[in-house]
Amino acid sequence: MVALGWVVLALVFVDELLAAAAAAVWGNHEGGVLLAIGMVLVVIGVWWVFASPKAPLGGPVIRPVTKVLVFGLAGLGLWAVGQHGWAVAFLVFSVVVNGLAQLPSIQALVGDAPTRGRHESA
């Protein structure tokens, strides 16, 4: 079960990368390469500040709201550029993977990761 948990967490990271890629697709469609790069930087910045596990401004309300907004807007961006199938697939993938990541056994892996690293290096 532990290996499956780490696979789910890896897929969550892939989902975050896909959100940045979707923002780049929308940005490129609307304004070219510079807007695409800017949108990727915005997604990464918002994620780092509000949604990452060590987010300085994250919290029990802000973190999930930010995730819904980032994934929702990324899906909407794909829809807006005419990639309807990819938009639906992305949103379904996001819901499933992030839902699985909320399972207590997988959450325990996230909580144990820093502790394991400290014990191994001590």
Side-chain angles (χ1 to χ4, degrees):
M1 184 67 176
V2 172
L4 178 63
W6 286 110
V7 168
V8 169
L9 292 174
L11 290 174
V12 168
F13 180 66
V14 168
D15 194 34
E16 296 162 6
L17 296 176
L18 290 173
V25 168
W26 176 83
N28 188 55
H29 182 265
E30 293 298 319
V33 174
L34 288 178
L35 184 57
I37 293 169
M39 291 309 300
V40 169
L41 294 175
V42 166
V43 167
I44 292 170
V46 167
W47 197 267
W48 175 70
V49 172
F50 298 108
S52 71
K54 295 182 180 181
L57 300 178
V61 175
I62 293 173
R63 184 171 286 118
V65 168
T66 301
K67 289 181 178 188
V68 168
L69 286 172
V70 167
F71 291 129
L73 290 172
L76 187 61
L78 288 174
W79 189 275
V81 301
Q83 298 295 328
H84 302 148
W86 285 113
V88 171
F90 169 72
L91 290 172
V92 168
F93 178 73
S94 296
V95 168
V96 170
V97 169
N98 284 284
L100 288 172
Q102 298 308 308
L103 293 172
S105 59
I106 296 175
Q107 286 291 305
L109 293 174
V110 175
D112 289 346
T115 305
R116 288 182 189 172
R118 275 185 246 142
H119 289 305
E120 292 173 2
S121 64

